[in-house]
Amino acid sequence: MKLKVVYNKYIPLKGFVALTLWPWIFVREDKSAKFTPMAKRHEATHAHQQVECLLVGFLIIYCLEWIIKDVLCGFDSDRSYRSISFEQEAYEHQEEIYYNDVRRHFAWLRYLFTIK
């Protein structure tokens, strides 16, 4: 999957390094040093997830899951973010160089009911 990396001053919000909205990966210019090959693999996993769910479905599921898991995690925003199924898959496999070449479709579903 070919992704276009776009360096930008405003997207994503401060505090974040990158944001994927298929087929683009937006990287904050002031965080570009943190956009390592591992971060790119993490974002590429999100691109695969977005294609599977059709971008709008991904965004809806992501937001709903974040809200539900935020409540379940006692409003601990870092823990609820790490508990989102899409993030769990991406973080678990970001060090695997060829993961996105061999990952199964909808692999994120296995993390849907887990909390980190």
Side-chain angles (χ1 to χ4, degrees):
M1 176 181 301
K2 187 71 173 159
L3 298 170
K4 172 97 170 117
V5 178
V6 178
Y7 292 91
N8 187 295
K9 285 185 180 180
Y10 307 105
I11 302 173
L13 297 174
K14 265 190 176 174
F16 294 93
V17 175
L19 169 76
T20 299
L21 292 172
W22 183 85
W24 301 283
I25 300 175
F26 295 95
V27 179
R28 277 191 71 93
E29 289 176 351
D30 58 338
K31 301 276 187 174
S32 62
K34 292 186 176 185
F35 191 63
T36 62
M38 185 170 71
K40 188 172 184 179
R41 288 190 298 272
H42 177 100
E43 295 303 323
T45 300
H46 288 318
H48 284 274
Q49 295 163 343
Q50 290 172 7
V51 168
E52 290 167 355
C53 298
L54 306 175
L55 180 59
V56 173
F58 172 88
L59 296 172
I60 291 169
I61 295 167
Y62 194 103
C63 290
L64 286 174
E65 192 175 351
W66 197 344
I67 291 166
I68 291 166
K69 290 194 174 174
D70 200 30
V71 171
L72 294 174
C73 292
F75 301 100
D76 179 341
S77 59
D78 185 57
R79 187 170 174 222
S80 57
Y81 163 76
R82 293 282 186 150
S83 293
I84 296 168
S85 57
F86 298 118
E87 295 299 342
Q88 287 186 60
E89 179 193 8
Y91 277 110
E92 185 170 315
H93 299 286
Q94 67 187 5
E95 294 181 20
E96 299 171 33
I97 295 171
Y98 299 107
Y99 176 71
N100 287 304
D101 296 330
V102 299
R103 76 178 282 278
R104 292 187 162 185
H105 293 294
F106 299 97
W108 55 272
L109 283 172
R110 70 179 274 226
Y111 305 96
L112 194 57
F113 298 106
T114 61
I115 301 223
K116 285 283 181 180

